[in-house]
Amino acid sequence: MSATSAGAFRATVDAAGFVLDVPLIGAAEAAGRVLAHWQDGADLRELPDGRWLLVLPEPVGTRADRAPGLPLLGRDGALVAVGTDGAQAAAGQLLLTTAGLMDRHQIAGLAKLRPADWLDPAGLTLHRLGPVGAPAAPEPVLDDRPRRPAADLRTAAGIGPRSERARRLTAPAGRGRPRRWWSRRPTAPGARGDRPRRWWSLPRLPAPVGRAVAVAGLALLFVLVGLPLLAGLAHLVAGLVRLVAGRGLHPSTLLTGLLIGAAFALRRRAPGTASEASAPGAAEGRRNPGPSWRSRLGGLLARLALRTPAARLVRGRHARYLRELTRAFEQRRWEDALRDAVRLSGQSPEAERAWLSLGLPRRFAGPLRPTPDAGGRAAAVSPLSGPTVHELLADLYRKAAEGLEREGRIDEAAFVLADLLDAPAEAVALLDRHGRSAQAAELAEGRELAADLVVRLWWRAGDRDRAVRTAYRRGAFATAVERLTATDPQSARELRAAWAEHRRAAGDRLGAVEAAWPDETLRPTVAADLRDAVALGGPARGRALAHLLALGAGEATRTLALAVLDGDGHPDTTGRPALAAALAGLPGADRAADRELATAAARAVVRDGGFGGSLDHRTGRALFDGLVKRADPLAAADLPRPRRSARPTGAGWAATAADRPGTLPVLDAALLDSGSLLVACGQAGVRLLGPDGRTRARWDVPADQLVLADHGGTALLVARYGEVAEVSRLDLATRAVRRWTALRVRQIVPSYDGRQLITVDEDGIAVLDTLARRPTVVWRELGGDQGVTGRIARTPSGCAAVVVSRPAVGAPLTELWRWDLPGWELRSRTALDPAAVTGATVLASGRLIVPDPDPTREPGRTVLRFLGEGTDSGLTVQEDEPAAREDGPAGLTADGDHWAFTLPLDGGRGIRLTAGEGAASAPTGLALFPGADRSPVRVRRHGGAVTYWQRGGRVLAVAADGSAVLANLRVTIG
């Protein structure tokens, strides 16, 4: 090659095309280079030797030694390769030198390639574009809340209704009796308003006037009717006493009869009996109000009656029933015995709150089936409800269950255990033992037995979807898998695979890996999840790389892992500590590569001062020792133990935001684990920014709010159009966006678990399944006369909200409610002063922050009061140069347990941010936003960072422990 030709390969040329050596670099690499340099109007051809010719519509300047292939120069309609003499080239020809010989090709005669054929449209969703800015109509929300099963063992066992004698003895008050002529006909809710007004109906009066009229009417009725009746009753009693005394009887006989009659009358009218509490359709989660005044008075009269000579008659009635029931069980007359048997409580009578009744002990009336609510109101006990009778009946029932099982009458045996003995766990074991998994699962779920037991039974019964939903709602995947492993390993493997698929569908790639990894046969199925997790960056990338290396990944994975361990940057965003910790517990498949990686990981741990703040000292020391044992002995001998730099006690972070606002509005922002910043700019779309502010990706999807998944793999993009919210789903690993639905909701909580989204609508709190094709409610809280006021605060483990109850009678009640997630167990209800709710912000830990001006009335001095669970406390916020009150109001925002309090600076010089976490005695950080307007700074906690942003276009992100400022930038168009 001449010097002139060699120089051409080091020069910058205007290339009209390129020749790509496909046999040398491979088709995949060549296709990537073609797509990277493709222009509108470009042409791709294939040479006879397999190389590709890329013809560009316009020449582009490029260095010949950095070109994607051999550069071609345009010569009077011909293409000539660099270093080839093009004097003899004709239009439409390609000239290039191969192995010292000149090749000449007619470009039009070469085979044409279509890059469009490389794309596979399968799986893509077709979206029909609508008018810009026109919101879609809200879709109807489906109701798919879990229904508590009602297992009717009495019907399954073929047991008929009680005999007339037993029914009379055990019938509860008001049930099974014929309607009296004076009784009111039941009316369906709302039917009263639909009934036409009669001529005698009075007009509806205002509440104060109505109460006054009612009081006056009752007083008049008492004077005209009550007093004469009382006088007549007193005269009648006096006459009866004289009559009894005249016949030589003691007046106590009359008193005994009156007491017995009153006790029975009150017992039949008293609400809250055991049968009523266990009736089907009883409201779930209703508070136990305790015995009513009728029950209390009836119990008192019954005790007085048992101190009279009539006690022998009462006890004889109960003893006769008990003898007949015992005889039926001993003679194995199962039909009569089971029809007339009464239910025993699971607790001993002494442990219950006994209100004496002349009826039978804690009976089970109505349809005999396991009820969803095993509790209920406190039941009455009878004179025979002592330990002896309880033990006698329990022994009879248990022997009956054993006999029925031996005879193969499984349904009757389960009925005795679940409904008579109140031992549902034993009934479930009996049904499962005889292969009736579906019936056992219904009973176990209805009686709220252990979640892992319910999941295992539904899985074995073949209802896989219900098993997965129950495991997810009650957090029982791991325990259910362990329980199945001991008895059915194959079913346990299938449930583990379903667990992994459930997490994968929610966008939780590492969650799917964690679910499947303990089973070695399932590890290859999570390779794609690991590659997607690497794309997420941050700690997710570190943990995914360690798992890929354990699976035997190639050189590219090893090189990337070494680059992460040896690289610079903050540990929280690079994922270096997560990779080192994962490598300590997951040795690589290649021993040589594992030694190199363990050495680099040990050095990184020493350089970073440990594995991060998530591990305690003992665990970190054990992990470091594990890395040193697998590292190069010579390098490990010189490594000191990692020492974490101590931060001053009470020290917080301090920062000054960018000196001027950005050019795009910021309506929501969050620093991702990868160190990138996800920003919602309203109608300007969504952007993914690097730490330096450069745009890494953008989506032309309007978004006013970001709803981030706890695992960081997905985000919901919410655009508000009045009362309607358009929701799209963004996969942060693949960076693909698809529209989900349009909702009519009042509030959307800014974080979710990847599947269930918490919203607030007209009926209260509604939890939606975001993976369903249409919005589907899977859980509801509140409703009726209860509603949420203000924002809901949420963390992955719980949430809290201010709830206002407006009963029909009485003043509204304002409370702070706190739930545990994902099961929505209500943990606390704290009464609040309604006046304190105005301007307050809720924390997920069950505290309320109320900003109050300092009683000393010093300018710029504000006390933040923390109310709710625990002891009330306060935090004083004082500015160095306070602003006058007329300069603008203060702003208080929160996310989870992190809060941000904004105060304006004097003279319009900007705002000052005070940040904190929980009910802290001191702020965790301070920041200045020079020249900012009066809009408050908002806060979001996600992963290992806390992000603060202001609508003016400035974003500040800080490590969760306050150790470093991770991002400080302006959001601009460029």
Side-chain angles (χ1 to χ4, degrees):
M1 182 182 294
S2 65
T4 303
S5 299
F9 284 98
R10 294 190 296 269
T12 299
V13 298
D14 291 332
F18 303 97
V19 174
L20 287 77
D21 197 344
V22 178
L24 177 63
I25 64 177
E29 178 63 24
R33 297 183 184 185
V34 169
L35 294 178
H37 293 80
W38 188 264
Q39 299 178 13
D40 188 17
D43 189 18
L44 184 64
R45 305 276 178 163
E46 185 177 11
L47 299 176
D49 58 1
R51 290 183 292 177
W52 290 353
L53 169 64
L54 175 61
V55 182
L56 301 177
E58 297 290 340
V60 295
T62 181
R63 285 191 54 173
D65 57 343
R66 296 182 180 179
L70 178 62
L72 302 175
L73 305 177
R75 293 286 189 272
D76 299 328
L79 295 179
V80 181
V82 172
T84 300
D85 185 8
Q88 301 178 359
Q93 290 185 346
L94 167 67
L95 271 68
L96 66 161
T97 303
T98 305
L101 300 177
M102 180 182 296
D103 291 337
R104 190 186 305 269
H105 302 278
Q106 290 293 331
I107 297 177
L110 298 176
K112 193 170 185 178
L113 300 178
R114 289 172 47 86
D117 296 337
W118 303 341
L119 305 178
D120 182 14
L124 298 180
T125 303
L126 178 63
H127 296 280
R128 299 187 181 278
L129 301 181
V132 177
E139 297 185 22
V141 178
L142 305 179
D143 193 342
D144 193 23
R145 285 176 287 172
R147 297 293 191 270
R148 192 190 302 270
D152 192 351
L153 293 184
R154 183 185 186 95
T155 303
I159 302 174
R162 286 186 172 91
S163 63
E164 183 63 22
R165 172 182 173 81
R167 189 192 65 79
R168 288 198 305 268
L169 287 173
T170 60
R175 292 186 179 269
R177 293 185 299 166
R179 185 185 307 277
R180 310 302 187 193
W181 61 269
W182 60 81
S183 60
R184 177 178 296 178
R185 184 176 300 276
T187 305
R192 182 183 300 272
D194 300 334
R195 185 183 302 167
R197 183 177 296 276
R198 309 301 184 185
W199 61 270
W200 59 82
S201 302
L202 295 177
R204 185 178 297 274
L205 300 176
V209 179
R211 283 194 292 268
V213 171
V215 171
L218 289 176
L220 181 61
L221 182 65
F222 178 76
V223 172
L224 297 179
V225 180
L227 289 179
L229 285 178
L230 289 178
L233 181 61
H235 182 72
L236 177 62
V237 172
L240 290 175
V241 171
R242 287 193 299 269
L243 178 62
V244 171
R247 294 180 177 271
L249 299 177
H250 197 276
S252 62
T253 304
L254 176 62
L255 178 60
T256 300
L258 292 176
L259 290 176
I260 294 176
F264 271 101
L266 287 173
R267 174 179 167 274
R268 292 180 65 84
R269 293 298 302 271
T273 60
S275 59
E276 180 180 335
S278 60
E284 300 178 16
R286 191 171 293 175
R287 288 177 293 176
N288 184 2
S292 65
W293 67 271
R294 295 180 183 272
S295 298
R296 296 172 186 269
L297 182 57
L300 178 61
L301 294 177
R303 292 181 185 277
L304 293 176
L306 289 178
R307 297 179 180 274
T308 66
R312 181 177 301 177
L313 298 176
V314 176
R315 289 192 174 95
R317 174 174 175 267
H318 291 83
R320 184 171 59 257
Y321 170 79
L322 185 59
R323 286 194 302 270
E324 294 178 0
L325 181 64
T326 304
R327 188 179 302 111
F329 272 102
E330 291 177 347
Q331 295 175 359
R332 308 178 74 84
R333 291 186 285 112
W334 302 127
E335 179 69 17
D336 294 334
L338 297 181
R339 284 170 55 192
D340 296 342
V342 294
R343 179 186 181 187
L344 295 180
S345 171
Q347 298 178 344
S348 62
E350 293 84 1
E352 298 191 9
R353 190 174 182 179
W355 294 95
L356 189 63
S357 171
L358 298 182
L360 295 175
R362 194 171 177 86
R363 44 194 168 56
F364 181 77
L368 292 181
R369 63 186 183 188
T371 55
D373 187 3
R377 303 173 187 264
V381 296
S382 75
L384 293 180
S385 297
T388 304
V389 176
H390 190 278
E391 293 174 3
L392 172 63
L393 292 177
D395 184 62
L396 282 175
Y397 295 164
R398 195 162 296 280
K399 289 180 180 179
E402 296 173 358
L404 289 168
E405 183 180 7
R406 285 194 299 268
E407 296 177 11
R409 303 172 69 169
I410 307 305
D411 292 318
E412 291 93 330
F415 167 75
V416 172
L417 291 173
D419 287 73
L420 300 185
L421 279 171
D422 197 18
E426 297 182 32
V428 168
L430 171 68
L431 294 171
D432 188 32
R433 196 162 57 243
H434 290 274
R436 304 191 180 189
S437 299
Q439 193 175 1
E442 290 182 357
L443 180 58
E445 186 174 1
R447 290 298 183 89
E448 294 187 347
L449 300 184
D452 54 350
L453 173 63
V454 176
V455 174
R456 181 180 68 87
L457 291 172
W458 279 125
W459 190 266
R460 292 184 58 182
D463 196 341
R464 305 294 175 88
D465 182 65
R466 191 165 189 171
V468 170
R469 290 180 57 182
T470 302
Y472 171 67
R473 180 172 57 87
R474 300 179 64 178
F477 270 116
T479 53
V481 168
E482 290 297 323
R483 191 161 190 163
L484 264 176
T485 302
T487 58
D488 192 348
Q490 181 59 32
S491 296
R493 180 176 294 110
E494 294 172 356
L495 179 58
R496 188 182 291 278
W499 181 12
E501 179 59 33
H502 184 273
R503 299 314 308 152
R504 184 179 299 114
D508 187 2
R509 272 79 176 187
L510 288 181
V513 174
E514 184 179 1
W517 193 261
D519 193 326
E520 294 185 4
T521 61
L522 296 178
R523 291 180 181 179
T525 64
V526 297
D529 300 299
L530 291 171
R531 288 192 291 269
D532 288 343
V534 170
L536 290 175
R541 175 177 63 179
R543 289 190 285 269
L545 286 173
H547 285 81
L548 284 172
L549 292 168
L551 286 177
E555 180 67 19
T557 303
R558 184 189 67 84
T559 303
L560 180 58
L562 288 175
V564 172
L565 292 172
D566 297 335
D568 297 327
H570 195 274
D572 290 345
T573 57
T574 60
R576 194 164 54 242
L579 175 56
L583 286 173
L586 289 172
D590 187 342
R591 294 179 61 87
D594 182 67
R595 172 171 293 190
E596 181 182 11
L597 290 166
T599 304
R603 288 173 177 167
V605 172
V606 173
R607 186 171 68 252
D608 294 336
F611 292 92
S614 60
L615 297 177
D616 58 86
H617 176 71
R618 178 177 297 179
T619 304
R621 182 172 182 175
L623 292 177
F624 181 76
D625 291 342
L627 288 174
V628 170
K629 289 180 181 179
R630 289 158 39 207
D632 186 347
L634 296 180
D638 297 333
L639 287 177
R641 288 200 168 272
R643 294 183 178 179
R644 184 179 303 175
S645 57
R647 295 183 59 199
T649 303
W653 57 270
T656 300
D659 57 352
R660 62 189 187 280
T663 58
L664 283 177
V666 176
L667 304 184
D668 204 344
L671 187 73
L672 306 180
D673 292 337
S674 62
S676 300
L677 193 69
L678 189 66
V679 180
C681 302
Q683 295 298 314
V686 180
R687 297 177 180 237
L688 186 67
L689 308 178
D692 56 356
R694 295 184 180 181
T695 301
R696 293 181 174 178
R698 59 173 297 176
W699 299 270
D700 293 328
V701 179
D704 307 319
Q705 180 184 359
L706 302 173
V707 183
L708 282 174
D710 298 328
H711 50 72
T714 57
L716 300 180
L717 312 180
V718 181
R720 285 282 186 178
Y721 299 94
E723 296 181 354
V724 179
E726 282 268 3
V727 185
S728 302
R729 184 183 179 93
L730 169 62
D731 190 322
L732 292 171
T734 62
R735 298 185 179 179
V737 177
R738 64 176 178 86
R739 181 186 179 276
W740 177 44
T741 188
L743 300 172
R744 187 183 299 275
V745 291
R746 298 176 178 176
Q747 179 185 160
I748 298 179
V749 176
S751 64
Y752 75 126
D753 62 1
R755 187 180 186 107
Q756 293 189 353
L757 175 66
I758 302 175
T759 65
V760 178
D761 58 15
E762 296 179 353
D763 298 325
I765 298 177
V767 183
L768 305 180
D769 186 356
T770 60
L771 299 184
R773 287 181 174 270
R774 298 174 60 183
T776 304
V777 176
V778 296
W779 193 264
R780 276 200 178 273
E781 285 286 327
L782 307 179
D785 60 353
Q786 297 172 333
V788 174
T789 179
R791 312 296 296 181
I792 296 179
R794 178 194 175 275
T795 62
S797 59
C799 67
V802 175
V803 178
V804 177
S805 303
R806 296 178 173 86
V809 179
L813 177 63
T814 304
E815 297 175 305
L816 180 59
W817 289 30
R818 182 176 65 85
W819 297 268
D820 282 350
L821 297 179
W824 285 93
E825 295 89 0
L826 182 61
R827 294 305 183 192
S828 65
R829 296 175 60 173
T830 305
L832 299 174
D833 181 4
V837 177
T838 304
T841 299
V842 180
L843 299 181
S845 58
R847 304 302 295 269
L848 191 73
I849 311 179
V850 183
D852 285 341
D854 194 327
T856 60
R857 299 189 181 277
E858 296 182 14
R861 186 180 176 93
T862 302
V863 176
L864 300 179
R865 294 193 298 120
F866 298 92
L867 310 177
E869 294 186 46
T871 305
D872 294 349
S873 58
L875 173 65
T876 302
V877 179
Q878 173 69 54
E879 292 196 49
D880 297 333
E881 298 180 9
R885 287 296 179 191
E886 58 270 15
D887 283 348
L892 180 62
T893 60
D895 180 61
D897 284 330
H898 288 261
W899 50 267
F901 182 62
T902 308
L903 281 174
L905 297 176
D906 190 17
R909 294 183 295 110
I911 56 177
R912 175 172 178 169
L913 165 69
T914 302
E917 179 181 5
S921 58
T924 58
L926 301 172
L928 295 178
F929 286 73
D933 57 20
R934 300 309 190 206
S935 60
V937 175
R938 303 195 176 275
V939 58
R940 177 190 291 275
R941 166 68 188 271
H942 176 72
V946 184
T947 308
Y948 305 91
W949 74 92
Q950 210 242 2
R951 187 183 179 92
R954 284 180 278 193
V955 183
L956 186 68
V958 183
D961 59 358
S963 59
V965 176
L966 303 179
N968 188 358
L969 50 87
R970 301 167 56 240
V971 180
T972 60
I973 297 178

